[in-house]
Amino acid sequence: MRDDNIQKAATLLRDGKLVAIPTETVYGLGGDARSDSAVAAIYAAKGRPQFNPLIVHVASIDDAKQYVKFNTAAEKLAAKFWPGPFTMVLPRKKDCALSLLVSAGLDSVAIRMPAHPMARELLKISGLPIAAPSANRSGRISPTQASHVAEELPDIMVLDGGPCQLGIESTVVDMTGDHPIILRPGSVTLEQLQAVIPSASVAGVHSDIKSPGMLASHYAPTKPLRLNATSILPGEGLIAFGKPIAGAAMNLSEHGDLQEAAANLFRMLREMDASNVQSIAVMPIPETGLGIAINDRLKRAATR
Ligand code: TXA
Ligand code: MG
């Protein structure tokens, strides 16, 4: 049954069509990364600004090396973090067969080998590099279960791989220079990177925006969002973290577990946005470990 769906998805992709695919981070809207028309269809389906380049998913490190140049640091990081929620921005090879559109004009490609078994199977069976941004309309909340995709992109086939285990997008790291620079925080933390490459750092707020997905307003619900809430104001629905305030509608994690909170984050924002509250409030999340990525997404969701 499952295999039939993966076969069907592989056939659609080979025909230049789009398929929404489960990954361990969030669902992706996938298309053949070598095909300009498939990549253009992704931008169109998302209503995404053209300047925002996409992540290319591959089945193996060897496949990645067909398209991008690895330096020693990239070798080490791939060995450590692939397959997994980890994306490296690397220089395109001269003969790179990927659509130029996936790079949106840059001479680099963001590439990752996902860990979700269905994604891996699809990559293997299709034999394609799959370009896949998160499978939401541009600027909206990333989908963490198949039904989220179906709500926003009703015409697209969704491979249902269950709820995403991590629930927050991959860590994006610029590897085009000598030192890894985190462009987008994610499940793989700075500390984990530094354990492999000590010089790894995080892109400063004032650095060139090399990862356009880091634009301030992103992941936005349609309702106003208030952060670090320690009370509930009239009309608000509160998403708690840890020990809840009386009247909280939802809790990211009663035990204060950041991984559980990350996995629940986008689903709860979405459910609150769809409920009858006037605005959304979220309790403070500690700025440590995965909390850094969670707060990053929340800040963007609160910016309008
Ligand atoms: O977990 C994830 O990464 C999910 C799943 C589906 O793999 N994908 C995802 O893709 O979040 P997307 O397109 O929503 O975010 C890609 C991020 C954006 O911040 C984009 O600007 C950045 O990666 N990016 C892509 N190509 C880049 C490049 N060549 N240089 C710098 N940043 C790049
Ligand atoms: Mg996205």
Side-chain angles (χ1 to χ4, degrees):
M1 176 69 165
R2 271 199 161 177
D3 285 353
D4 281 357
N5 282 332
I6 296 177
Q7 281 293 356
K8 192 176 155 201
T11 304
L12 284 169
L13 288 172
R14 280 197 294 260
D15 285 349
K17 305 283 192 326
L18 307 186
V19 176
I21 58 176
T23 82
E24 69 278 25
T25 59
V26 299
Y27 275 75
L29 177 59
D32 180 352
R34 303 166 316 178
S35 157
D36 288 332
S37 60
V39 175
I42 294 174
Y43 287 118
K46 280 184 67 88
R48 161 174 270 199
Q50 292 279 343
F51 50 75
N52 207 348
L54 310 178
I55 294 176
V56 175
H57 300 70
V58 290
S60 66
I61 297 180
D62 281 345
D63 279 0
K65 286 181 179 171
Q66 288 183 37
Y67 308 116
V68 289
K69 289 182 231 163
F70 273 59
N71 54 25
T72 318
E75 295 275 2
K76 284 188 188 159
L77 293 174
K80 176 81 183 169
F81 297 115
W82 280 3
F86 182 68
T87 298
M88 292 196 282
V89 174
L90 290 165
R92 289 176 73 102
K93 279 173 76 170
K94 257 216 178 70
D95 57 350
C96 178
L98 300 175
S99 160
L100 285 168
L101 211 47
V102 286
S103 298
L106 303 172
D107 50 14
S108 57
V109 175
I111 201 155
R112 98 169 171 104
M113 178 180 167
H116 194 292
M118 268 182 135
R120 297 187 68 180
E121 192 65 13
L122 179 64
L123 285 162
K124 220 170 80 189
I125 290 182
S126 70
L128 297 172
I130 301 179
S134 50
N136 50 279
R137 306 262 317 155
S138 187
R140 302 299 310 283
I141 303 165
S142 296
T144 55
Q145 52 194 50
S147 63
H148 296 162
V149 184
E151 281 163 24
E152 276 187 33
L153 302 167
D155 301 330
I156 305 277
M157 174 188 173
V158 189
L159 256 188
D160 190 346
C164 300
Q165 219 183 349
L166 298 172
I168 208 160
E169 298 89 338
S170 62
T171 304
V172 178
V173 180
D174 181 358
M175 299 293 303
T176 57
D178 292 336
H179 309 289
I181 301 170
I182 296 183
L183 300 176
R184 181 179 72 181
S187 294
V188 173
T189 62
L190 176 63
E191 291 72 24
Q192 287 174 301
L193 273 184
Q194 284 173 335
V196 184
I197 311 283
S199 66
S201 65
V202 177
V205 210
H206 299 294
S207 68
D208 300 355
I209 301 184
K210 277 194 147 179
S211 190
M214 299 302 285
L215 292 174
S217 175
H218 208 60
Y219 309 102
T222 56
K223 290 174 183 164
L225 175 65
R226 188 168 69 88
L227 305 183
N228 298 314
T230 50
S231 62
I232 306 178
L233 301 180
E236 269 183 351
L238 181 83
I239 302 177
F241 176 82
K243 191 172 180 295
I245 297 169
M250 298 175 191
N251 200 327
L252 287 166
S253 169
E254 275 173 33
H255 306 293
D257 176 345
L258 290 167
Q259 187 164 328
E260 184 184 17
N264 284 331
L265 179 67
F266 290 137
R267 179 177 54 80
M268 290 189 176
L269 282 175
R270 208 173 255 277
E271 284 172 6
M272 275 300 212
D273 210 22
S275 75
N276 55 9
V277 302
Q278 277 155 33
S279 58
I280 307 168
V282 183
M283 282 176 67
I285 312 291
E287 185 74 1
T288 55
L290 259 189
I292 296 172
I294 295 173
N295 283 323
D296 172 76
R297 300 306 188 281
L298 281 172
K299 271 178 235 149
R300 278 169 221 290
T303 304
R304 51 188 55 240

